[in-house]
């Protein structure tokens, strides 16, 4: 039987979604993320259980967020989880945050547990970035970046072990590894999809890596220090009212989650 899930925040606002991934170790469970700071795990078997009439939306069975991102200073600086994926065995959940780092959570632990690992050096701001594991045993983490590069981190050491240009237009969004072979498909703002596989006959040269990651981190810091002024807030309010009007004319139920 088909079921519909409406994801709501703690303030009962609808959360627009960016990513969904089924737990490979338990097909009844799936994780979702979107325009707030939480990765939520649901179990399809309990979506229709009786609930408090004042809170009719199903609660997740697990909810994760780095503790320092749980309570933002204001809505303009609230982090979003642009993408999440499970590890090969379902024991880890990998989450990429806009203008922040990439984090892993232990799904064998209860809700609210702190992240176990984090990976930095890229930048996730201009578009909705994907993230993924690489390797049959999820040995590596791979992500695109606003700088146009693809970064690979060793999951255990959390260090970047490879990077390369992935998009001529300057932004890498999606990365999908082959399920059985060391091949990676990459796409961004270009009009083509690029396929990469290891073929080098010498040790990886990481010359220039420090400069690229430092620039990414500095640009992220500049953006985080920016505080919207009155004009920005007015423009945001106007856009929210405009979108609300469009929904009203289209006959779509209104909410406060713009």
């Amino acid at each position: 039987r088909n079921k519909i899930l409406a994801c709501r925040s703690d303030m009962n606002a609808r959360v627009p979604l960016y990513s969904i991934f089924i737990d490979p170790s338990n097909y009844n469970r799936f994780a979702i993320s979107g325009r707030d700071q939480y990765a939520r795990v649901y179990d399809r078997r309990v979506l229709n259980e009786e609930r408090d009439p004042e809170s009719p939306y199903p609660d997740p069975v697990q909810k994760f967020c780095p503790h320092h991102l749980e309570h933002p200073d204001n809505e303009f600086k609230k982090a979003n989880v642009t993408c999440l994926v499970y590890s090969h065995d379902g024991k880890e959940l990998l989450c990429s945050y806009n203008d922040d780092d990439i984090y892993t959570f232990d799904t064998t632990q209860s809700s609210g547990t702190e992240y176990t690992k984090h990976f930095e050096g890229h930048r996730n701001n201009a578009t909705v970035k994907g993230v993924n594991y690489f390797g049959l045993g999820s040995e590596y983490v791979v992500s695109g970046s606003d700088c146009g590069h693809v970064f690979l981190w060793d999951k255990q050491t959390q260090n970047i072990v490879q990077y390369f240009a992935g998009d001529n237009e300057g932004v890498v969004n999606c990365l999908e590894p082959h399920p059985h072979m060391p091949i990676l498909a990459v796409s961004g703002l270009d009009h083509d999809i690029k396929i990469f596989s290891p073929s080098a006959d010498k040790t990886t040269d990481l010359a220039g890596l420090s400069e690229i990651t430092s620039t990414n981190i500095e640009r992220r810091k500049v953006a985080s220090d920016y505080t919207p002024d009155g004009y920005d807030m007015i423009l945001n309010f106007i856009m929210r009212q405009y979108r609300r009007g469009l929904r009203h004319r289209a006959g779509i139920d209104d909410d406060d989650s713009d």
Side-chain angles (χ1 to χ4, degrees), residues 236-255:
N236 181 266
F237 174 77
I238 292 174
M239 291 303 298
R240 291 183 63 180
Q241 294 300 107
Y242 173 71
R243 289 193 293 267
R244 184 171 298 169
L246 291 178
R247 287 198 302 272
H248 178 74
R249 287 192 290 272
I252 301 174
D253 290 340
D254 195 18
D255 59 65

Side-chain angles (χ1 to χ4, degrees), residues 118-186:
H118 90 282
F119 309 89
E120 62 181 356
H122 72 306
R123 190 172 184 218
N124 177 1
N125 174 266
T127 56
V128 178
K129 298 290 184 303
V131 70
N132 224 317
Y133 284 104
F134 191 70
L136 296 181
S138 303
E139 298 92 343
Y140 300 95
V141 170
V142 58
S143 173
S145 176
D146 288 352
C147 62
H149 289 87
V150 175
F151 295 94
L152 284 92
W153 293 264
D154 181 285
K155 190 180 72 173
Q156 296 304 320
T157 66
Q158 303 167 65
N159 294 327
I160 296 174
V161 294
Q162 178 63 283
Y163 82 104
F164 51 86
D167 189 87
N168 294 328
E169 297 295 325
V171 177
V172 176
N173 294 324
C174 300
L175 312 98
E176 191 65 32
H178 191 282
H180 308 298
M181 302 177 64
I183 297 174
L184 182 68
V186 172

Side-chain angles (χ1 to χ4, degrees), residues 7-10 15 17 31-41 60 62-67 69-72 78-82 84 93 95 97 105 112:
C7 181
R8 296 275 177 166
S9 70
D10 294 339
V15 179
L17 299 179
I32 61 176
S33 66
R35 203 184 298 170
D36 74 358
Q37 63 270 48
Y38 292 102
R40 296 173 173 86
V41 178
Q62 289 178 303
K63 189 165 71 170
F64 300 107
C65 177
H67 292 172
L69 297 179
E70 284 191 294
H71 305 291
K78 183 172 67 176
N80 300 327
V81 187
T82 62
L84 53 72
L93 194 59
C95 302
Y97 281 80
F105 298 93

